């Protein structure tokens, strides 16, 4: 008699269980990325309801990304030192509570302050989540698939943000774009505490507690963004603007000096000796500068030039956002087969072409003219990101996953903050003309990033 075979209609219990850590980590990351893009469509409504000008709206977006970027290195080292699961769970709690505060904010100042706290929660979550993924999935193919799913979730969140923001703002008001995080945060926390394994902290590591260097790095980013944000209204030669830029340069010099002299640096500068790591970090800056700068300007263009509602604006961005999830998933598979160089170069080239296509946007441009350029921007950005993440993580020794993730995401969020500041400043002088200048700058950045990937990122 032939032996009985196990039924194949359902996956084994252990396979299902192995997905739960990934689910928990991806839920947290989903909130982080969602709050970068979900607010973009709500920004004009926030300005109307809270009586905030363009500069205040820039800070609503940039306050989040600045706190995120400024604390990533600290939190990456903290995760390596104290254990990723504890740091990730703390980040979920902080982020969720801050989301509630954003939803209840009565003034622009309170909203900006709550966004800063949200950014701190995001900084706790993201490096820990990547390090936990790296520890949970040790095989090369399994790790590539996990990073692919992680990147796909980023794409889904980025793509869903403007549409969800438009739907929520139109149906329930702008506060709902922040309150939607509450059930997501509770689910992420419950799953993380129960199912995410916590690898032991790296022995002998004290990185992440270098407070003077942390303060200098955060001050440098804040000075840069402040100068760019205020230049649109005060002018590029205003003493406040020039002073902010001077503070940024001096703080950066202090940061590098402190890190070089520290016996336990928050950012081990030796990591940048690897050309692939340095190039991937630079690509992260250029990629986010172009994409998120454009994503700040596009809703303003649709709502203030074409007078679209928040809902219609979210739907108008579907060509860019609708392809993001598919592109991220495809990039994960391609990266697993070919290595990260090909998807990075191809994605950046497509994104640059899409950004240049946005030069067709004018006061009387028919909407169908912008569909292909927007789709190219969304596809190219999402196709690049999972591959760039894989390139950064493989370029560092084991045990440095938290710091490597923090460096890459700091680079990305710094690029986002600068991109929003640049596009916002240009838009203050004229939405259409500012968008045209901005996309030329962004496309040049994408092209430079493609050259860096072709030259320094290994194929496999």
């Amino acid at each position: 008699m032939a032996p009985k075979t196990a039924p194949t209609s359902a996956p084994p219990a252990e396979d299902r269980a192995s997905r739960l850590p990934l689910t928990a980590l991806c839920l947290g990351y989903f909130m982080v990325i969602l709050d970068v893009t979900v607010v973009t469509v709500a920004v004009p409504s926030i300005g109307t309801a809270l009586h905030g000008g363009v500069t205040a709206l820039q800070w609503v977006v940039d306050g989040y990304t600045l706190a995120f970027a400024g604390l990533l290195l600290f939190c990456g080292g903290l995760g390596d030192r104290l254990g990723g699961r504890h740091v990730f769970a703390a980040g979920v709690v902080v982020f969720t509570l801050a989301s509630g505060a954003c939803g209840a904010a009565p003034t622009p100042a309170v909203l900006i302050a709550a966004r800063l706290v949200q950014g701190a929660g995001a900084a706790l979550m993201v490096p820990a989540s990547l390090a936990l993924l790296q520890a949970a999935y040790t095989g090369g193919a399994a790790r590539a698939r996990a990073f692919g799913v992680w990147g796909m979730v980023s794409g889904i969140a980025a793509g869903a943000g403007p549409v969800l923001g438009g739907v929520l703002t139109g149906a329930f008001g702008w506060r709902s774009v922040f309150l939607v995080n509450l059930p997501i945060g509770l689910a992420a926390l419950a799953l993380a505490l129960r199912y995410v394994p916590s690898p032991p902290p790296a022995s002998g590591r004290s990185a992440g507690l270098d407070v003077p260097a942390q303060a200098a790095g955060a001050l440098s980013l804040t000075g840069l963004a402040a100068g760019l944000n205020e230049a649109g209204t005060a002018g590029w030669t205003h003493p406040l603007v020039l002073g902010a830029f001077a503070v940024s340069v001096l703080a950066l010099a202090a940061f590098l000096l402190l890190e070089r002299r520290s016996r336990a640096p928050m950012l081990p500068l030796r990591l940048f000796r690897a050309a692939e790591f340095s190039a991937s970090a630079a690509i992260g800056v250029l990629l986010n500068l172009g994409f998120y700068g454009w994503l700040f300007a596009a809703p303003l263009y649709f709502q203030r030039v074409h007078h679209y509602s928040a809902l219609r604006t979210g739907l108008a961005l579907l060509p860019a956002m609708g392809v993001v999830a598919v592109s991220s998933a495809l990039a994960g598979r391609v990266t697993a087969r070919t290595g990260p160089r090909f998807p990075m170069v191809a994605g950046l080239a497509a994104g640059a072409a899409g950004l240049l296509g946005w030069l067709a946007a004018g006061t009387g441009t028919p909407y169908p003219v912008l569909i292909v350029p927007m789709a190219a921007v969304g596809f190219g950005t999402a196709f690049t990101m999972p591959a760039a993440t894989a390139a950064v993580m493989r370029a560092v020794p084991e045990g440095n996953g938290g710091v490597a993730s923090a460096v890459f995401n700091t680079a990305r969020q710094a690029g986002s903050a600068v991109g929003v500041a640049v596009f916002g400043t240009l838009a203050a002088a004229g939405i259409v003309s500012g968008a045209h200048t901005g996309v030329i700058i962004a496309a040049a950045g994408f092209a430079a990033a493609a050259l860096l990937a072709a030259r320094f990122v290994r194929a496999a």
Side-chain angles (χ1 to χ4, degrees):
M1 180 180 293
K4 294 181 179 180
T5 58
T8 59
S9 58
E14 59 268 23
D15 290 346
R16 292 195 300 271
S18 70
R19 299 170 189 164
L20 292 173
L22 181 60
T23 301
L25 298 171
C26 285
L27 278 174
Y29 192 47
F30 180 86
M31 287 196 303
V32 169
I33 301 302
L34 182 71
D35 266 60
V36 177
T37 61
V38 74
V39 74
T40 55
V41 174
V43 156
S45 297
I46 293 171
T48 301
L50 300 184
H51 308 291
V54 172
T55 300
L57 298 180
Q58 286 174 264
W59 280 112
V60 168
V61 178
D62 265 357
Y64 176 74
T65 53
L66 279 171
F68 189 8
L71 292 171
L72 270 169
L73 289 171
F74 178 86
C75 294
L78 198 65
D80 285 343
R81 190 172 190 264
L82 302 180
R85 187 175 66 179
H86 301 300
V87 172
F88 177 81
V92 173
V93 171
V94 170
F95 190 97
T96 305
L97 292 175
S99 296
C102 287
T107 65
V110 173
L111 177 57
I112 291 167
R115 289 283 281 170
L116 289 168
V117 179
Q118 259 194 325
L124 286 166
M125 276 192 280
V126 171
S129 65
L130 260 182
L132 289 169
L133 276 182
Q134 190 177 35
Y137 302 93
T138 55
R143 183 175 289 175
R145 284 193 295 270
F147 284 146
V149 171
W150 196 77
M152 181 179 67
V153 167
S154 170
I156 292 171
V163 180
L164 183 61
V167 171
L168 291 174
T169 302
F172 306 106
W174 65 266
R175 297 181 189 276
S176 61
V177 305
F178 300 109
L179 298 178
V180 73
N181 290 327
L182 302 185
I184 301 174
L186 291 174
L189 182 63
L191 288 172
L193 292 177
R194 178 159 185 170
Y195 295 109
V196 174
S198 185
S203 59
R205 292 290 302 275
S206 59
L209 301 181
D210 192 351
V211 176
Q214 169 66 45
L219 184 60
S220 178
L221 286 174
T222 302
L224 177 60
L228 291 170
N229 281 340
E230 299 297 331
T233 53
W236 291 95
T237 59
H238 192 279
L240 176 65
V241 174
L242 295 178
F245 288 145
V247 167
S248 178
V249 172
L250 292 174
L252 177 60
F255 172 78
L256 294 175
L257 181 63
L258 288 167
E259 290 298 270
R260 186 177 297 277
R261 292 184 174 181
S262 175
R263 288 181 293 180
M266 178 178 63
L267 171 60
L269 297 179
R270 57 180 170 75
L271 294 178
F272 289 95
R273 296 172 188 167
E276 185 173 35
F277 180 84
S278 297
S280 297
I283 289 167
V285 173
L286 296 170
L287 182 71
N288 274 38
L289 187 156
F291 179 70
Y292 287 102
W294 170 82
L295 192 58
F296 178 82
L300 290 176
Y301 168 77
F302 284 124
Q303 294 189 41
R304 296 189 175 178
V305 175
H306 289 286
H307 307 292
Y308 284 9
S309 66
L311 174 58
R312 190 177 179 186
T313 299
L315 296 175
L317 293 171
L318 269 176
M321 301 304 158
V323 301
V324 165
V326 175
S327 180
S328 296
L330 179 62
R333 295 180 181 180
V334 173
T335 301
R337 292 181 180 179
T338 69
R341 184 169 65 192
F342 169 73
M344 290 172 74
V345 173
L348 289 162
L355 287 165
L356 291 176
W358 192 257
L359 291 171
T363 55
T365 304
Y367 173 74
V369 172
L370 302 176
I371 291 176
V372 172
M374 286 193 289
V377 172
F379 177 86
T381 301
F383 199 64
T384 303
M385 189 51 61
T389 302
V392 164
M393 297 303 288
R394 78 175 183 182
V396 298
E398 292 290 336
N400 288 271
V403 172
S405 169
V407 170
F408 183 57
N409 283 285
T410 297
R412 290 182 57 200
Q413 298 311 315
S416 297
V418 172
V420 169
V422 168
F423 274 75
T425 297
L426 293 170
I431 292 177
V432 173
S433 61
H436 287 176
T437 304
V439 295
I440 291 172
I441 295 170
F446 269 51
L451 293 175
L452 285 173
R455 174 65 179 85
F456 295 109
V457 175
R458 290 178 287 132

